[in-house]
Amino acid sequence: MKDHYFYNALRKTIIQFLDLFNDITIARYATDGEILKYVSVPVKFAPKTRGYYFQEKETATGEIIRDKVLPIIGINMTGLEYASDRAVNKNSNITSRRTQNDISRFLNPVPYDISFEVKIAAQYVIDITQIIENILPFFDPTAFIRITIPELDIIDSSEEGAANLDLKVIYEGSSPEMQVEIDEANFRVLEWTLTFKVEGFMFKPLKTEGVVKKVVNKIYTNETSWVLRNSTTQGASGIGNDAVEILTLPTSGVKYDEEARILYKYELYEKFEE
Amino acid sequence: MKVNLNKANPQNYEIIFPKIPTEETMEGSTELTINIYESVIPSLTMEATPRYWQGGVAQYEAGSLTYEPWFVRFTVDSEFKNWLTLYKWMLNINNNKNKFSASREEYVVDATLKITDNNGLVVLKVDFINAWVNMLGEITLSQREGSRDLIASCNLMYDRYQISGV
């Protein structure tokens, strides 16, 4: 079975994208233009619940009431597509960690575009325009979010390791939906939908390999030494000047190297004739 | 080993002009700076010469380095201040009327192109040494293009550019 791996890159991208719209506050005005109070606008990831317009509240008398929560921002992921226009060398390994005994490498990340729909719902036009004015100036037409993946050493650039990953967020357009006809049982909800594209990345699994500590190399310089390859004679005197290596091994087998502390398989091949 | 996976963005730059020699205040050069929307780091070419040996050929450097002109595009402000500043800068060198040359020190300036990373931190400074304007592009006036901003371009000549990391 393939080793399990999961870097949470997609979830981290969604969370950071949601964070762009966090902490938006709008003001409620009196007729003379004076600010009455400030209202913070909640941000919800839309697939979580369909009932995000409503919230349970406890009144001063302890009574639980359900009340509509407006304004609100609902965000939904609408697409995920391979971005061939951002592709770079996919065979290139990136070394993320190197210790005395092993080395960890991963291949270049794979570019994917993630589409989001940001739906702003409010009861008053002034609420919508305030929220829009708090979002759009920061996209001209791009802004950046940042994710880190510590497993791949993609962490804060102030530390050793790969720099953190900046993802470009592109504003693509908006469509206002202003209800004109409302029946008596309903109330008016103004909605404004903004669409964004995040230039994200997906990652292939990290490969950790042991480092090569010792290379065992046997060289036969001529036919005579090749013929004598199975000799168990110790010392050069029994072979003559043609052999540069004295063999005490059969042609193949398993051997343990004390120095490198490795068990290795070996096989001796016939001399290559040029 | 530190690997940077982030890519550069063509929007991450800022151009800084000093006071243009013909200006009394920074008004014109400020209008130029804030309205620049496109520029380049000019290409540079080193001359090469072939040397032949036993039927083969090898390329050797021939010593001379050529910097292409620095190209800048900008939107013209409604009072034409930025365009006029460049126009006066050119005419200060030769007005084809009563002034046909100028001392080099009178018309050259050092301008800077800053390249930033995605967080606005300056990663590279390109200093254009002894820059002066040698081409002011045409401005197209039209009754049918009313929705567009008026744009102009200019070429600046310079001795060399030097790069400094920050």
Side-chain angles (χ1 to χ4, degrees):
Chain A
M1 190 186 146
K2 260 171 65 176
D3 288 341
H4 172 259
Y5 77 99
F6 180 44
Y7 303 126
N8 228 344
L10 188 56
R11 186 174 165 78
K12 284 174 180 172
T13 306
I14 293 169
I15 290 169
Q16 289 304 313
F17 179 75
L18 259 69
D19 193 52
L20 279 174
F21 306 94
N22 215 358
D23 298 330
I24 292 178
T25 305
I26 59 164
R28 285 270 151 75
Y29 295 92
T31 47
D32 61 355
E34 195 187 333
I35 293 173
L36 294 173
K37 64 172 181 176
Y38 292 99
V39 179
S40 64
V41 185
V43 180
K44 301 284 179 190
F45 191 48
K48 214 170 185 178
T49 169
R50 274 282 292 148
Y52 63 87
Y53 287 123
F54 299 91
Q55 171 178 294
E56 287 191 341
K57 276 183 180 174
E58 190 175 355
T59 61
T61 57
E63 188 191 358
I64 302 290
I65 57 158
R66 292 184 77 224
D67 193 10
K68 62 181 184 290
V69 178
L70 290 175
I72 194 166
I73 297 175
I75 297 176
N76 193 10
M77 198 177 98
T78 54
L80 189 61
E81 283 183 8
Y82 178 69
S84 57
D85 55 331
R86 290 191 288 123
V88 287
N89 189 350
K90 60 183 174 186
N91 302 316
S92 191
N93 271 304
I94 297 161
T95 304
S96 69
R97 202 173 292 122
R98 189 193 297 266
T99 67
Q100 266 194 326
N101 294 318
D102 54 43
I103 186 167
S104 300
R105 294 185 297 183
F106 62 97
L107 288 166
N108 242 328
V110 185
Y112 270 88
D113 288 344
I114 309 157
S115 304
F116 286 97
E117 210 173 65
V118 176
K119 194 160 272 193
I120 303 159
Q123 205 168 359
Y124 310 108
V125 175
I126 186 99
D127 288 359
I128 291 253
T129 52
Q130 278 186 81
I131 295 167
I132 294 285
E133 279 193 32
N134 274 274
I135 294 173
L136 294 193
F138 297 98
F139 294 91
D140 54 349
T142 60
F144 284 89
I145 55 173
R146 172 176 287 183
I147 62 167
T148 61
I149 302 176
E151 297 94 324
L152 299 178
D153 228 14
I154 300 173
I155 50 177
D156 191 84
S157 56
S158 60
E159 296 172 36
E160 194 60 33
N164 39 32
L165 206 59
D166 293 338
L167 308 182
K168 196 188 284 180
V169 185
I170 304 164
Y171 167 70
E172 295 203 310
S174 64
S175 58
E177 294 160 34
M178 305 291 193
Q179 267 180 291
V180 179
E181 291 177 13
I182 309 146
D183 59 49
E184 286 178 7
N186 280 327
F187 56 89
R188 183 181 74 158
V189 176
L190 305 172
E191 286 187 338
W192 201 306
T193 307
L194 312 178
T195 49
F196 293 90
K197 183 174 80 180
V198 178
E199 293 189 344
F201 291 97
M202 302 282 172
F203 295 86
K204 288 174 184 159
L206 188 74
K207 281 183 189 167
T208 303
E209 295 161 347
V211 293
V212 176
K213 288 188 169 177
K214 185 173 183 177
V215 176
V216 180
N217 197 6
K218 306 279 186 191
I219 301 168
Y220 306 101
T221 54
N222 56 29
E223 286 296 329
T224 315
S225 63
W226 171 249
V227 171
L228 295 172
R229 68 190 184 278
N230 287 326
S231 166
T232 55
T233 309
Q234 296 286 336
S237 59
I239 299 173
N241 294 333
D242 292 332
V244 295
E245 183 74 33
I246 298 142
L247 299 169
T248 57
L249 303 172
T251 50
S252 65
V254 177
K255 196 167 168 21
Y256 180 72
D257 188 291
E258 288 286 346
E259 191 188 346
R261 294 193 295 171
I262 50 169
L263 193 66
Y264 62 92
K265 276 185 182 175
Y266 70 92
E267 193 172 350
L268 302 177
Y269 293 94
E270 198 171 338
K271 183 192 168 194
F272 173 70
E273 292 288 350
E274 286 188 38
Chain B
M1 186 168 64
K2 189 178 167 185
V3 177
N4 179 18
L5 295 170
N6 303 316
K7 313 302 175 205
N9 193 326
Q11 291 183 323
N12 295 344
Y13 72 94
E14 185 192 356
I15 292 176
I16 299 165
F17 275 106
K19 195 166 83 64
I20 306 296
T22 48
E23 277 187 309
E24 285 177 10
T25 65
M26 290 284 286
E27 218 172 309
S29 51
T30 304
E31 284 296 340
L32 176 64
T33 307
I34 63 170
N35 283 301
I36 288 171
Y37 69 88
E38 199 170 274
S39 187
V40 292
I41 299 177
S43 63
L44 65 164
T45 315
M46 190 169 282
E47 256 180 62
T49 182
R51 287 192 195 172
Y52 299 93
W53 186 75
Q54 289 193 345
V57 62
Q59 297 290 340
Y60 282 73
E61 54 82 24
S64 172
L65 194 62
T66 308
Y67 291 88
E68 294 301 319
W70 184 21
F71 183 71
V72 174
R73 272 210 179 100
F74 58 96
T75 303
V76 182
D77 66 275
S78 65
E79 294 174 51
F80 273 61
K81 279 182 188 169
N82 49 18
W83 185 86
L84 268 172
T85 302
L86 293 172
Y87 172 77
K88 285 178 185 169
W89 190 6
M90 276 185 98
L91 263 65
N92 184 44
I93 302 167
N94 184 337
N95 64 7
N96 203 22
K97 183 183 172 188
N98 51 17
K99 186 176 184 182
F100 300 102
S101 69
S103 160
R104 187 172 153 83
E105 291 73 35
E106 285 175 18
Y107 62 83
V108 295
V109 297
D110 292 348
T112 302
L113 171 64
K114 282 184 185 175
I115 308 291
T116 63
D117 68 4
N118 297 327
N119 300 306
L121 295 171
V122 179
V123 292
L124 212 67
K125 262 177 72 186
V126 186
D127 293 320
F128 292 86
I129 309 300
N130 294 334
W132 53 280
V133 62
N134 91 313
M135 190 280 282
L136 191 53
E138 64 179 19
I139 291 182
T140 306
L141 304 166
S142 168
Q143 295 292 348
R144 294 189 174 182
E145 299 279 353
S147 61
R148 287 189 189 173
D149 286 339
L150 217 54
I151 57 166
S153 62
C154 69
N155 272 1
L156 293 128
M157 300 303 285
Y158 52 94
D159 294 346
R160 65 183 191 284
Y161 57 75
Q162 54 194 38
I163 309 264
S164 53
V166 177

